[in-house]
Amino acid sequence: MVFSACAWSATAPEAAALQNSYRAMQETLLRSPFKRPLNIASREAAEQLSGDLYATVEYGLPALQAIVSSPERWCEINLLLSNTKACHVHPSGNHAALTVLASSSKTADTAGATETDFVLTLQADESDYLDAALLGAMGPAGTRDITLRLQAMPLSAARSFVHLHYSYNTQWLGRIAMQAYLQTLGRGKLGFTPAPENSSGYIDGARAVIERNTMRYFLGLDCALSAAAQEAPERFGNMAVCWYGAVSQYPLQLQEMGRSEYLSMKKLQYPAQRPLAGAAIRP
């Protein structure tokens, strides 16, 4: 089954903007403190949180296209996150849709999990520019207008520059829920942006939340690329090992549970996936 969707205006300005970002950011990427060419930033506005991650990856554009045009691969990336309990793919009109169930529980089951529905769009799939996104109207804790968007351009046949954008509208209910989270489960958790006034050296609060999640999704994408040639369920098992190793490089921000606990949980969750065989989208 093939899905198609349209989301944004003409892609030429978007592609040019990505090229300009790469030119402006080359020195920053070379001096990255992340042990890889990567830069992350966040922004907190009146009603929106957003995170933007730029990086070079050692994969060509066709490899990225194969991942982001597949709703099943997006589900696998989502399921890597420790708070994601399940992800199901289903058709929604002419689109591919994903339902993601998430909760703060450290168990494998979906009890008490909240659902977020996403539509998968592929705006551009060209030889020199890729633009895809998961778009959700409503999310947990009053969040709205959720966007997880990937833009990419080739640097060589086996290397690409990517921009991962993650954002959502908080509104009043979302802001109340965010404050409750920051005072409880999120207390003391840090982001990646340096903050000299913070004794830990990094920002905390709402911007730290969006930075952590943006990084989690990027590491998930990176692990999906590394295991792309493998068949399920071996592929997801190797992705989970890869992802845990990746987040362990940033223990202050991302490490939340032990390795055996995490891998056991994901081993139980993956068979519960309900795939839509052969689903893909085209612009």
Side-chain angles (χ1 to χ4, degrees):
M1 186 177 297
V2 176
F3 297 88
S4 62
C6 292
W8 301 288
S9 58
T11 60
E14 304 282 354
L18 187 64
Q19 292 169 3
N20 290 336
S21 294
Y22 177 68
R23 283 192 288 267
M25 205 172 289
Q26 288 185 67
E27 289 300 319
T28 300
L29 293 173
L30 289 174
R31 299 193 304 269
S32 171
F34 294 99
K35 302 178 183 178
R36 61 184 301 170
L38 184 152
N39 184 60
I40 190 169
S42 57
R43 181 172 179 267
E44 182 178 11
E47 292 189 345
Q48 189 182 62
L49 275 172
S50 61
D52 289 281
L53 186 151
Y54 296 87
T56 61
V57 295
E58 301 304 311
Y59 300 94
L61 207 62
L64 283 158
Q65 188 278 336
I67 297 295
V68 302
S69 66
S70 166
E72 285 89 354
R73 299 300 177 95
W74 275 115
C75 256
E76 290 176 353
I77 291 169
N78 271 276
L79 192 60
L80 288 173
L81 276 64
S82 57
N83 68 336
T84 301
K85 305 307 174 184
C87 180
H88 307 309
V89 177
H90 51 90
S92 179
N94 292 326
H95 297 234
L98 284 67
T99 297
V100 178
L101 286 78
S103 78
S104 58
S105 166
K106 291 190 177 182
T107 62
D109 63 67
T110 59
T114 58
E115 292 188 6
T116 302
D117 292 321
F118 292 98
V119 171
L120 175 55
T121 72
L122 186 59
Q123 174 64 11
D125 178 16
E126 303 166 6
S127 61
D128 60 352
Y129 181 60
L130 176 65
D131 196 340
L134 294 181
L135 305 174
M138 299 182 64
T143 56
R144 293 178 179 268
D145 302 326
I146 306 158
T147 299
L148 180 59
R149 180 183 182 187
L150 177 78
Q151 298 171 277
M153 68 179 212
L155 299 176
S156 70
R159 189 165 172 260
S160 302
F161 177 62
V162 302
H163 169 213
L164 186 67
H165 172 86
Y166 179 51
S167 65
Y168 50 80
N169 188 311
T170 54
Q171 297 192 341
W172 69 271
L173 182 59
R175 289 194 294 275
I176 292 172
M178 178 64 74
Q179 288 304 315
Y181 169 78
L182 293 174
Q183 292 169 13
T184 54
L185 295 175
R187 181 187 294 274
K189 292 188 176 182
L190 306 172
F192 293 94
T193 297
E197 69 278 8
N198 188 321
S199 60
S200 66
Y202 299 97
I203 62 169
D204 55 14
R207 285 179 57 202
V209 172
I210 201 80
E211 288 187 1
R212 290 196 301 273
N213 283 331
T214 304
M215 179 68 88
R216 289 182 179 110
Y217 283 119
F218 170 73
L219 296 175
L221 173 66
D222 203 36
C223 289
L225 288 164
S226 72
Q230 300 169 10
E231 297 294 328
E234 179 186 12
R235 177 179 65 241
F236 182 77
N238 288 331
M239 285 171 59
V241 171
C242 170
W243 191 84
Y244 189 85
V247 300
S248 297
Q249 296 179 47
Y250 313 105
L252 281 176
Q253 293 88 358
L254 300 183
Q255 200 160 22
E256 296 178 337
M257 61 177 64
R259 184 177 187 274
S260 61
E261 181 185 11
Y262 170 79
L263 294 178
S264 296
M265 181 174 69
K266 294 305 168 183
K267 185 176 181 179
L268 290 172
Q269 290 170 340
Y270 184 74
Q273 299 292 89
R274 296 200 298 267
L276 182 62
I281 59 171
R282 296 290 181 267

